Amino acid sequence: MKLELLKEEKLGKAPWYVVNMDGEYKFGSWSHEDAMAMFNALLKDPTALDVKKEILKTEEIDLPSGKTNI
């Protein structure tokens, strides 16, 4: 894994900080501190920005025959 913290500068604009992982954009901010915090979080856990899903409840419902539309 290659993790990079980049600083982009444009004339008349505040610097923009980007965090890339393996060449893919992961996070951007006008704040160096926020970008550094995200860089460090991804350094500790590369899956920190992944969407995590958890099934909280599930039920099976039997429909009377012939009724398939709810």
Side-chain angles (χ1 to χ4, degrees), residues 29-66:
S29 176
W30 298 111
S31 165
H32 179 264
E33 292 79 20
D34 291 348
M36 183 58 81
M38 183 57 66
F39 181 90
N40 289 329
L42 289 170
L43 195 57
K44 289 179 187 172
D45 178 9
T47 66
L49 290 178
D50 291 354
V51 174
K52 294 163 180 76
K53 295 181 182 183
E54 177 182 353
I55 297 172
L56 298 177
K57 185 175 179 180
T58 185
E59 291 187 33
E60 296 270 341
I61 300 171
D62 292 324
L63 296 176
S65 41

Side-chain angles (χ1 to χ4, degrees), residues 8-10 12-16 30:
E8 298 177 357
E9 294 183 284
K10 206 178 216 183
K13 300 276 184 175
W16 178 249
W30 298 111

